[in-house]
Amino acid sequence: MIKFNVASINRCTETEGPHKRLCIWFQGCDIHCNECCNPDYQPFVIRHIMSLDEIISVIKKSIDDFGIEGVTYTGGEPSCQQNLTILTNEIKKLGIGVISFTGRKYEEVSDVLAGVDLVIDGKYNAKRKETKRRLLGSENQRILCLTDRYKNDISWFDTDKNGKSVEVNFSDKIVFNGDKI
């Protein structure tokens, strides 16, 4: 059975990429960026082990309930998840897009991120904090359109047009996500 170590899921967000999206934060990162925005997601500890079918079921329900257009992978480090390509392929069968963050250069993990539409890559550099692009942590990070799906949405990342944003969700706990402001 294909399984993933999931730190958390936000079933509908508009701060983790263009359009309504489901966001998956994976548990575990071996990069350990200084001043990481999610230090609790770095340790390789078991959080929520979810099967491929369970994740796809949550995504399908989010399509029905919220009309999500895509899924964003973040973490932790998504490229540390075995079988990520299989998850991406199953998501793409649903007709929605996939965006992935990675602290590595895309060229180092292109096989793991095969099928992803847009990648935000590069190790977070606290000395080069990003002030002009939304959602990116540091100036060295790149936005790579790997397919045409989001090529007309690149301006979404421009803070001059959209501003920085934070989203607050209330359920059994309070969850904040988006830009650090």
Side-chain angles (χ1 to χ4, degrees), residues 2-22:
I2 297 171
K3 295 182 179 182
F4 300 89
N5 193 1
V6 175
S8 64
I9 292 177
N10 185 339
R11 293 186 52 231
C12 185
T13 177
E14 294 184 51
T15 62
E16 298 297 334
H19 313 290
K20 288 183 180 179
R21 325 188 57 72
L22 177 141

Side-chain angles (χ1 to χ4, degrees), residues 16 21 38 60 113 143:
E16 298 297 334
R21 325 188 57 72
N38 292 325
K60 285 179 178 177
L113 297 178
I143 300 171

Side-chain angles (χ1 to χ4, degrees), residues 73 77 98-107 109-110 112-122 136 141-147 150 154 157:
Y73 301 151
E77 173 55 39
V98 179
I99 293 174
S100 184
F101 284 85
T102 179
R104 294 182 167 81
K105 290 284 190 183
Y106 170 71
E107 294 79 7
V109 291
S110 61
V112 178
L113 297 178
V116 170
D117 297 295
L118 186 144
V119 171
I120 298 166
D121 79 342
L136 281 72
Q141 294 174 318
R142 304 181 296 175
I143 300 171
L144 305 171
C145 282
L146 305 178
T147 70
Y150 296 111
I154 292 302
F157 294 94

Side-chain angles (χ1 to χ4, degrees), residues 76-92:
E77 173 55 39
S79 70
C80 290
Q81 296 293 312
Q82 219 174 17
N83 301 308
L84 193 64
T85 303
I86 295 170
L87 176 60
T88 301
N89 290 338
E90 291 302 309
I91 292 169
K92 300 297 284 216

Side-chain angles (χ1 to χ4, degrees), residues 46-61:
I46 294 173
R47 289 290 288 266
H48 306 285
I49 301 300
M50 295 182 70
S51 71
L52 175 64
D53 292 341
E54 288 170 323
I55 293 174
I56 294 300
S57 177
V58 170
I59 294 169
K60 285 179 178 177
K61 185 155 176 41

